[in-house]
Amino acid sequence: MKRVSFLFLTLISLCAALCAQNNPIPLVYQPLVPASAAPGTSGFTLTVNGTGFATGAVLNWNGSARATTVLSSSSLQAAINSTDVAHIGTANVAVVNPLPGGGISNVVYFPVRQPAAAVAFAPEPGVSPLAGAAVVGDFNGDGILDLVVGQNFNNATGSLSFYRGLGNGTFAAPVTSASTLPVFSLMSGDFNNDGKLDVVIGTFDPNKFTAEAVPFLNTGTGHFVQKDPVGGGDDGWLSGVADVNGDGNLDILFEGEAQGQGAVEVYLGNGNGTFTYKSQANEDNYDAAPIGIGDFNGDGKLDMAVTDFDQIDIFLGNGDGTFQPFVPYSCYPCGGSITAADLGGDGNLDLIVGELTVLLGNGDGTFTPGFAYSPSGSGFNAVGDFNGDGKLDVVTSGPSVSVYLGNGDGTFQNPTTSGSFTTGTTMAVFGDFNRDGRLDVVNWGSPSDQIGLQTTLGLTPGSLDFGSIKISSTSKGQEVTLTNVSSKSLPISSIALTGADTADFIEHNTCGAGLHARATCTITVAFKPTVKGTLTASVSITYSGLDSPQTVTLSGYGF
């Protein structure tokens, strides 16, 4: 009888421990299956892959629940209605785990649009946010994407400016919150579990001479309240946000350096906007950039991939906020951000590194060294179905904004650049800011942030510099290529020289009255200075499409 009682009590205690265990915050991977749809499509079953899906998890489509079947902790399906995809637009897809713990996953975009053979961006001229780090999300819960921009004032103090999205590609005047520390980088997440999207900044405290991450909690009115910092070291970078110990609270990953030793520090979230130091995953060096997060070996525990100069370090997670010693993979050129996604559709997470190197995942936590598509290597990337063909693409920012269209098998086409959208780019974050079903980008850095809306007319390059030319001599012609990336004909109203010194430039083109679908034409410009000094003008292209007119800046020096 005593044995039976003891066994009964043991089972009760075990059940109590298991029953009290929190559900994790789930993580959704790209691609969704399907990854996009044409407007007017019939209802369909959407398959979502990821990790941490609990029993009772529900898929949210633009914030509304859909009938969901959880297949496993790493896969679920949801019924999408024909009314959900009746019109062009972009749906925000997330997975919500039930209490205890639980919470909402990261958002993955589902474009509803006609596919295009190419992608082009044009700067939105009506948007002039402050120069600084940027993050995108629905911060006020109205279903429209907003923008938060961080400022650095002389490496001493800073601010956060909330730009409410108006849903047409423009933003309301900013609401600003002060920061006692400069803002160098930004990430978002709900750190106090109140349903509002908060932010965390990467910073350096000039008083303590340490690098830190500082959470700012969202009041819901556009203001953010600064909380206690985490992190420390000689240098550092906010690297990731995820629920690495599966308790239903978001944690912070902070990559830093102290006395020459690189490491990723793990700070576990307490669910109230505060964090507790948990562990340190040592690496050889320190390379400041966002890291890749996902379950690389299929054990239900989050792992991380970290750039470490000329290698990628893979840290397999133990599920409690600690990580095993890293396994290095040679990677050159290799630098910048890492994104984890299933590029080949084989169920294994691959790594997209910088601009642009691919490492293909084997599903067991190991990777096959991949192909480098860009000689520069270093840069920041955004991954999504940018042209609406159901395959993942990559948009990178480095010297220019480059678009790599995916083939759906882990390989990519040669890049195209958006020539009128290249200045001072540092990082690409993205979303559909005018709700036309086409994913747009934000690039932050000097001299200022730019909103790049997908447009029907691709233009490259965005500027021509003719250098020094003798007065009355004519330079060699330089060419600008226009591409109609839409599936319909594009009328062109005019192509004309504008600006102060139009008499010093010569322009002719092959464009005529318009371009057929996916056709190109050429504008040729020459410089013939009439006076000494720096001379400037622009070529203005007016057409029937988004962000018309677009311009090409011209400059040269007469001597």
Side-chain angles (χ1 to χ4, degrees), residues 78-114:
I80 305 303
N81 306 317
S82 60
T83 54
D84 293 330
V85 291
H87 306 288
I88 62 171
T90 299
N92 298 334
V93 174
V95 173
V96 181
N97 272 350
L99 295 171
I104 190 167
S105 74
N106 56 305
V107 170
V108 174
Y109 301 121
F110 186 95
V112 181
R113 56 166 293 176
Q114 294 292 343

Side-chain angles (χ1 to χ4, degrees), residues 128-369:
S128 299
L130 300 170
V135 67
V136 170
D138 181 8
F139 288 92
N140 62 348
D142 64 355
I144 300 174
L145 290 180
D146 311 306
L147 179 66
V148 174
V149 177
Q151 282 274 267
N152 165 27
F153 301 135
N154 298 319
N155 295 330
T157 61
S159 68
L160 293 175
S161 294
F162 165 72
Y163 291 83
R164 179 173 59 85
L166 301 180
N168 61 359
T170 66
F171 297 82
V175 176
T176 300
S177 302
S179 169
T180 62
L181 295 168
V183 181
F184 296 136
S185 61
L186 276 174
M187 290 186 176
S188 62
D190 182 4
F191 301 120
N192 61 345
N193 298 328
D194 65 351
K196 301 183 184 74
L197 194 60
D198 310 307
V199 298
V200 58
I201 72 169
T203 186
F204 184 85
D205 190 328
N207 298 311
K208 296 187 291 185
F209 297 100
T210 57
E212 297 173 334
V214 183
F216 283 75
L217 300 184
N218 183 3
T219 65
T221 62
H223 292 281
F224 294 85
V225 178
Q226 184 172 341
K227 303 297 287 186
D228 293 333
V230 299
D234 303 330
D235 200 358
W237 182 268
L238 173 66
S239 298
V241 170
D243 182 8
V244 295
N245 66 336
D247 65 350
N249 300 321
L250 283 178
D251 311 311
I252 290 175
L253 303 176
F254 188 84
E255 188 180 12
E257 179 186 46
Q259 298 179 346
Q261 174 67 57
V264 178
E265 297 177 340
V266 180
Y267 292 85
L268 298 181
N270 299 315
N272 60 358
T274 65
F275 296 83
T276 301
Y277 174 80
K278 174 63 178 179
S279 66
Q280 176 175 301
N282 292 328
E283 53 185 328
D284 286 341
N285 298 288
Y286 158 64
D287 189 8
I291 65 177
I293 301 173
D295 180 6
F296 302 144
N297 61 348
D299 65 354
K301 303 168 185 176
L302 288 183
D303 313 309
M304 59 183 180
V306 182
T307 53
D308 193 355
F309 287 110
D310 58 354
Q311 66 189 38
I312 299 293
D313 297 338
I314 303 299
F315 295 86
L316 297 181
N318 297 315
D320 60 356
T322 65
F323 292 84
Q324 300 173 33
F326 71 84
V327 176
Y329 289 82
S330 179
C331 177
Y332 183 82
C334 196
S337 64
I338 302 181
T339 302
D342 180 8
L343 297 176
D346 59 1
N348 301 329
L349 282 179
D350 310 306
L351 300 177
I352 302 98
V353 186
E355 185 202 353
L356 166 71
T357 300
V358 174
L359 278 72
L360 296 179
N362 300 315
D364 58 359
T366 67
F367 292 84
T368 300

